[in-house]
Amino acid sequence: MPENGRRVALLTLGCARNEVDSEELAARLAADGWQVSTDGEGADVVLVNTCGFVEKAKQDSIDTLLAAADTGAKVVAAGCMAERYGNELAKSLPEADAVLGFDDYPSISAALGSVLRGEKHDAHTPRDRRKLLPIAPAERRETGVIVPGHAAFTNDSRGREAAVVDSATPAHLRPVLRHRLDKSPVASLKLASGCDRRCSFCAIPAFRGSFVSRTPDELLAEAEWLAGTGVRELVLVSENSTSYGKDLGDPRALEKLLPQLAAIKGLVRVRVSYLQPAETRPGLVEAIATTPGVAPYFDLSFQHSSEPVLRRMRRFGSTERFLELLDSARKLAPEAGARSNFIVGFPGETRADYEELVRFVSEARLDAIGVFDYSDEDGTEAATMDGKVGTKTIRGRYDRMLSLVEELCGQRAEERLGSLVDVLVDTTDGRTVEGRAAHQAPEVDGSTTLVAGEGGVDLGALHPGDLVRARVTGTEGVDLVAVPVEMIDAASAGRPALAVVAG
């Protein structure tokens, strides 16, 4: 098959970090002549970037792979689940023509080419990727270990890895190895990969590896490129954003980076996600709450608030400390948004522990809350712990917590009635204009529907990427209804709808 006729569909599951990794894979493939899309219809190869976080995510990945196999295309599994299970996944899922690990990413074009020719590709044997990097964070920079989303390479016309820069090349002269897969005015920017924490319920560090930051100049260069493609909001992602810079010798690196990102021409909002409460310093709280152009938004991974449960989770904090952290943010920015996730039924969780979590959730005034019912995860310390909570008890606590957080988050949304919010328009279809206020992150925190009213903005004239000020007139759960009253920053009418870059 002629190289310029090869078609690959990239399907991404899981978190925003996976979305960034997919756009790196797309750039490598586009550079080598593949026609890249997110539509499996008519594709020669369907590449599924899987998620391996929890059981439901793993099942979704398997279902997607099986559905892709039904199209008649070659099917390739990549991403976290493929990295985590490797040859075990390949044996149990013969419908997949190949199972690729992170080490295959630089040669992804050659790998898919061999699959298309019917050649066998041996799946990797999983290993603990933490052991690939030095223990000392400062020594992890020049190891040659493949870290998805950190690449400074592209492919030559024959699909082989070709170094196009070296460590001395300034970041602004390096190719941005990224091919945008949608037209959204919002894009994620990966601050770092991996995690050095040892939470007893989490397997992510074992297959994502130890924590590695990207350099500020590299991030600024990619952010400028994204802004040039029409991106208006950047969402900073990693496994633990509060650790950013520790391996660069500057634990305050994120506080310094935020105003630089916010100053990039074309960007109207920068949002930080994945904050670890135990590492969230006062200076970082202040930077997020007060820097112009940065959303006063706190995505805090609390997980629980009872001290005994947190200790078993290998985490730190308490109800009072977490409330103090939220209060410190709201003193600086009263309108600040906050979200978190919680696990109920963790091994050893007593009724008193659960009621302590209920107390915290009831007092925290969080805008959005995710609730997980505990289940054992392969390779985690928690899976081997005693004191397992019964399935029926877990289900009861989960159902009660779900009802509670739905009520509380609805009440929090109602507190915003009558207030002004800055809404970034995401979609318009001629009748409905959907966007998000500063306290609403993409996908997870609800949205704001803009409606006609006595305001100074014509709904019909709005486009994705516009930033408007609106008055909240109604709520539906965590979602808001608002009337636009002022255009703050109109998106450039001439921006490209889709950008591709691969060196």
Side-chain angles (χ1 to χ4, degrees), residues 211-225:
F211 187 87
V212 181
S213 299
R214 299 176 69 194
T215 60
D217 59 343
E218 182 181 347
L219 292 168
L220 288 166
E222 185 169 330
E224 288 181 356
W225 176 80

Side-chain angles (χ1 to χ4, degrees), residues 28 102-104 106 127 129 132-134 139-148 150-153 161 212:
R28 293 184 181 280
F102 296 151
D103 292 335
D104 293 304
R127 53 183 173 169
R129 294 191 73 86
L132 302 181
L133 292 167
E139 297 176 5
R140 297 172 186 166
R141 303 299 314 162
E142 306 295 335
T143 60
V145 173
I146 302 302
V147 182
H150 291 230
F153 297 93
E161 184 183 83
V212 181

Side-chain angles (χ1 to χ4, degrees), residues 9-209:
L10 245 169
L11 309 183
T12 306
L13 302 173
C15 65
R17 303 183 296 274
N18 258 16
E19 294 171 3
V20 176
D21 296 349
S22 286
E23 293 194 345
E24 177 195 313
L25 292 170
R28 293 184 181 280
L29 291 163
D32 203 37
W34 290 80
Q35 297 176 26
V36 183
S37 76
T38 57
D39 184 1
E41 186 70 29
D44 301 302
V45 181
V46 177
L47 176 59
V48 181
N49 190 350
T50 61
C51 178
F53 179 42
V54 293
E55 196 59 41
K56 184 181 184 302
K58 288 184 280 189
Q59 188 59 54
D60 287 345
S61 295
I62 291 172
D63 291 344
T64 302
L65 289 163
L66 291 173
D70 290 339
T71 67
K74 298 288 186 180
V75 178
V76 175
C80 292
M81 188 177 181
E83 174 64 37
R84 184 176 181 183
Y85 293 103
N87 45 19
E88 179 185 342
L89 178 62
K91 290 176 183 176
S92 63
L93 197 70
E95 291 84 355
D97 296 281
V99 175
L100 306 181
F102 296 151
D103 292 335
D104 293 304
Y105 282 21
S107 55
I108 188 67
S109 178
L112 296 196
S114 70
V115 169
L116 199 53
R117 293 190 296 271
E119 298 169 3
K120 180 176 175 58
H121 193 288
D122 292 331
H124 70 288
T125 299
R127 53 183 173 169
D128 189 337
R129 294 191 73 86
R130 291 172 295 192
K131 298 179 180 178
L132 302 181
L133 292 167
I135 294 176
E139 297 176 5
R140 297 172 186 166
R141 303 299 314 162
E142 306 295 335
T143 60
V145 173
I146 302 302
V147 182
H150 291 230
F153 297 93
T154 188
N155 293 335
D156 69 14
S157 61
R158 293 168 297 285
R160 298 179 304 210
E161 184 183 83
V164 294
V165 299
D166 58 32
S167 58
T169 306
H172 70 280
L173 297 179
R174 301 179 187 180
V176 174
L177 195 62
R178 188 158 178 176
H179 172 126
R180 294 209 66 205
L181 291 170
D182 62 33
K183 302 176 183 180
S184 171
V186 184
S188 296
L189 180 66
K190 183 178 279 193
L191 287 174
S193 289
C195 186
D196 288 341
R197 302 191 71 86
R198 294 295 181 265
C199 301
S200 61
F201 56 83
C202 184
I204 290 175
F207 57 85
R208 274 291 185 177

Side-chain angles (χ1 to χ4, degrees), residues 372-410:
F372 294 87
D373 49 340
Y374 174 81
S375 62
D376 290 337
E377 272 295 307
D378 299 337
T380 63
E381 180 186 359
T384 67
M385 286 181 175
D386 56 12
K388 293 291 172 60
V389 180
T391 301
K392 185 177 180 180
T393 300
I394 291 177
R395 174 50 57 178
R397 292 176 182 177
Y398 173 81
D399 290 343
R400 179 189 169 198
M401 183 62 69
L402 212 57
S403 297
L404 176 63
V405 302
E406 183 176 346
E407 177 184 354
L408 292 172
C409 291

Side-chain angles (χ1 to χ4, degrees), residues 424-473:
L424 181 78
V425 176
D426 285 328
T427 60
T428 61
D429 65 3
R431 292 179 301 174
T432 304
V433 180
E434 289 285 340
R436 289 169 299 99
H439 69 281
Q440 296 171 320
E443 310 268 331
V444 294
D445 295 338
S447 64
T448 298
T449 301
L450 297 178
V451 296
E454 295 183 4
V457 178
D458 177 11
L459 286 181
L462 292 177
H463 296 88
D466 289 341
L467 184 68
V468 299
R469 187 155 290 147
R471 188 171 300 281
V472 180
T473 58

Side-chain angles (χ1 to χ4, degrees), residues 304 306 309 312-313 342-358 361 369-374 387-406:
H304 213 283
S306 168
V309 175
R312 289 173 71 86
M313 288 179 168
F342 299 97
I343 300 172
V344 298
F346 190 80
E349 182 190 66
T350 64
R351 179 177 296 180
D353 293 325
Y354 179 76
E355 293 301 332
E356 182 67 3
L357 177 58
V358 168
V361 170
I369 299 172
V371 183
F372 294 87
D373 49 340
Y374 174 81
K388 293 291 172 60
V389 180
T391 301
K392 185 177 180 180
T393 300
I394 291 177
R395 174 50 57 178
R397 292 176 182 177
Y398 173 81
D399 290 343
R400 179 189 169 198
M401 183 62 69
L402 212 57
S403 297
L404 176 63
V405 302
E406 183 176 346

Side-chain angles (χ1 to χ4, degrees), residues 10 23 36 89 91 113 196 223 229 260 284 316 328 336 446 481 500:
L10 245 169
E23 293 194 345
V36 183
L89 178 62
K91 290 176 183 176
D196 288 341
T229 72
Q260 297 178 72
L284 180 58
F316 303 93
S328 70
V481 178
V500 177

